[in-house]
Amino acid sequence: MRETTTVRGAARPRRVRPAGWWWDALLLAGLVGLTVALATGHLFAVDRAVADWAADHRPAAAYWVARVFNYLGQGTPLTLLAAGLGVLLAVRLRSVRPVLPPVAAFALTYLTIGPLKVWTARPAPSASVKEPFLPPEQTLPLFQHDLPVGYAQSYPSGHVANAIVWYGVLALLIAPLLRGFGRTVPGWLVTVVRVAPPLVVLTTTTYLGWHWLTDSVAGLLLGLLLDRLLHRVPWDDLPLPGWLRGWDRPFTSVI
């Protein structure tokens, strides 16, 4: 008897909300426009005003609360958590597909956030009160490539961008994982997982003076763009090598 195989149709991008590629174009245009504005010396007054206000309204208790909540945007723990959930779901389903989103997210963030930071070479607000102890006015401009790389990686905020990308991946994995245990995830909870942590990280990283406001906004724009790209990928229909045919079960949920 001839073995029958399931033939999937051509992989088509998954739907995202809001629909339409013009949202992606708008996010990219916003990021480019913000970068150009900063490169030409605009918006510095806004950044300075926000940073100064935060510095003047940062008692010890608020500082430590903000610092604790800022850990929600740590890229390495989020990467490991997403990878662990992906492997767990892969083992339960006997499918390699749940591992693909964390791998793609890691590659996408690695190839975009870090290089942009190095290219734009902007110090953080705190660079005037700790090493390299720059004059306050020198902490604002971009493209300060004469500074050591470690002192000029503020733009865009990696914490904010990572939070958006990785919580989006976690939401993608948690729903099918819980379904395997007979549980369902309400749509509102998925929204909370994807929205609340990035907003907390954006607020705390700006309040703590670790990033300028425009750094955080740039991280928001970049993170949303990367998140939309990842959620467009038809993970269940991507072609896999023949030797993985027994490990290609679908896993995504409609969220």
Side-chain angles (χ1 to χ4, degrees):
M1 180 181 294
R2 177 181 298 178
E3 179 183 359
T4 59
T5 59
T6 302
V7 179
R8 292 189 174 95
R12 296 182 179 180
R14 300 176 70 222
R15 293 182 178 180
V16 294
R17 296 193 301 265
W21 286 96
W22 70 275
W23 279 96
D24 304 68
L26 188 61
L27 291 169
L28 180 59
L31 179 60
V32 171
L34 180 58
T35 306
V36 170
L38 292 170
T40 54
H42 295 83
L43 302 178
F44 289 173
V46 175
D47 275 337
R48 174 56 66 191
V50 172
D52 289 346
W53 182 91
D56 293 338
H57 298 80
R58 196 186 299 141
Y63 168 84
W64 285 108
V65 169
R67 183 160 185 170
V68 168
F69 277 104
N70 191 256
Y71 281 108
L72 289 171
Q74 290 289 331
T76 299
L78 289 174
T79 303
L80 294 176
L81 178 59
L85 289 180
V87 170
L88 178 60
L89 187 57
V91 172
R92 287 187 58 84
L93 295 179
R94 293 186 59 83
S95 171
V96 73
R97 294 185 183 276
V99 181
L100 300 180
V103 171
F106 176 80
L108 200 55
T109 53
Y110 181 82
L111 294 174
T112 54
I113 299 173
L116 278 174
K117 285 177 170 289
V118 174
W119 176 62
T120 54
R122 190 188 200 189
S126 58
S128 63
V129 296
K130 63 181 183 181
E131 288 190 284
F133 296 105
L134 301 174
E137 64 275 7
Q138 192 182 340
T139 58
L140 286 158
L142 276 64
F143 306 122
Q144 300 193 51
H145 295 289
D146 55 322
L147 295 174
V149 173
Y151 297 132
Q153 294 192 47
S154 187
Y155 182 92
S157 169
H159 273 65
V160 176
N162 274 316
I164 294 172
V165 170
W166 287 112
Y167 283 102
V169 172
L170 289 174
L172 184 68
L173 296 173
I174 288 174
L177 181 62
L178 291 182
R179 278 207 316 274
F181 293 97
R183 302 293 182 87
T184 59
V185 180
W188 65 266
L189 184 57
V190 172
T191 301
V192 169
V193 170
R194 296 188 62 182
V195 173
L199 288 180
V200 170
V201 172
L202 186 152
T203 302
T204 55
T205 199
T206 305
Y207 176 70
L208 290 167
W210 294 350
H211 284 285
W212 301 104
L213 175 62
T214 50
D215 297 342
S216 297
V217 173
L220 176 67
L221 295 171
L222 177 60
L224 289 173
L225 177 61
L226 298 181
D227 177 76
R228 287 176 63 84
L229 292 177
L230 286 169
H231 279 78
R232 286 184 184 277
V233 177
W235 301 109
D236 291 342
D237 298 316
L238 292 178
L240 296 176
W243 56 275
L244 285 175
R245 184 168 298 165
W247 284 74
D248 67 346
R249 294 181 59 187
F251 78 97
T252 58
S253 59
V254 180
I255 58 176

